[in-house]
């Protein structure tokens, strides 16, 4: 490799690093300027909001599990993969709310979202386990 091409490759590489750093600084500045609170100042427990978050993200987790079922067969722990996707979606939703005027991104809401996804997936696994056990028991007694 000639010195001219190696110096050109170095410049291209250096420009890529500079662009990545500028993007990281811009994204970091944008994230630091949004209104994200662990627990909002005016927080009061609202059962209707709790039910909404738990129910909607529980249904989302079940739909993700069903939609990704063929792909999930390659995972060692498919339920954890779906749970991670649902929590990731909840995180993105809360981050999006930080940029909407009059809304606040809340980690409490993210906790509700995560709880809903986990509870519904736990219920799914329990029902699948019971179904397989009952099918086995009933199949043995019939034979």
């Amino acid at each position: 490799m000639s010195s001219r091409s190696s110096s050109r490759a170095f410049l291209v590489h250096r420009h890529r690093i500079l662009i990545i750093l500028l993007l990281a600084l811009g994204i970091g500045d944008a994230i630091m300027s949004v209104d994200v609170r662990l627990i909002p100042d005016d927080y009061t427990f609202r059962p209707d909001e709790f039910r909404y978050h738990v129910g909607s993200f529980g249904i989302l987790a079940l739909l993700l599990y069903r939609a990704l079922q063929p792909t999930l067969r390659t995972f060692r722990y498919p339920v954890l993969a779906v749970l991670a996707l649902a929590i990731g979606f909840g995180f993105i939703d809360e981050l999006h709310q930080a940029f909407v005027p009059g809304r606040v991104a809340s980690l409490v809401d993210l906790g509700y979202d995560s709880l809903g996804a986990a509870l519904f997936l736990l219920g799914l696994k329990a029902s699948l386990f019971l179904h397989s056990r009952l099918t086995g028991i009933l199949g043995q007694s019939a034979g």
Side-chain angles (χ1 to χ4, degrees):
M1 179 183 268
S2 70
S3 68
R4 184 178 178 136
S5 63
S6 65
S7 64
R8 184 171 179 217
F10 174 74
L11 287 175
V12 169
H13 180 67
R14 192 169 69 181
H15 283 98
R16 285 181 186 162
I17 292 174
L18 181 62
I19 290 170
I20 290 169
L21 285 174
L22 289 174
L23 282 173
L25 288 173
I27 291 169
D29 185 46
I31 289 173
M32 296 307 282
S33 65
V34 298
D35 191 10
V36 178
R37 299 179 188 163
L38 180 61
I39 299 176
D41 298 334
D42 60 345
Y43 177 76
T44 55
F45 178 75
R46 294 184 294 274
D48 56 333
E49 186 176 336
F50 175 78
R51 285 191 301 265
Y52 164 74
H53 282 278
V54 170
S56 62
F57 274 82
I59 292 169
L60 172 69
L62 293 179
L63 292 174
L64 282 171
Y65 187 85
R66 178 70 176 121
L68 299 174
Q69 204 165 16
T71 306
L72 291 173
R73 291 187 183 129
T74 61
F75 286 84
R76 186 170 182 179
Y77 302 107
V79 171
L80 291 180
V82 171
L83 182 62
L85 284 172
I87 292 172
F89 187 81
F91 175 78
I92 291 170
D93 182 44
E94 291 302 318
L95 187 62
H96 153 261
Q97 287 183 29
F99 292 100
V100 177
R103 301 292 302 264
V104 175
S106 167
L107 291 179
V108 172
D109 289 347
L110 181 59
Y112 293 161
D113 300 341
S114 304
L115 178 67
L119 286 175
F120 276 60
L121 288 170
L122 183 65
L124 173 71
K125 289 305 283 184
S127 66
L128 291 175
F129 174 76
L130 287 174
H131 180 267
S132 68
R133 295 290 294 198
L134 288 175
T135 303
I137 292 170
L138 294 175
Q140 288 176 356
S141 65

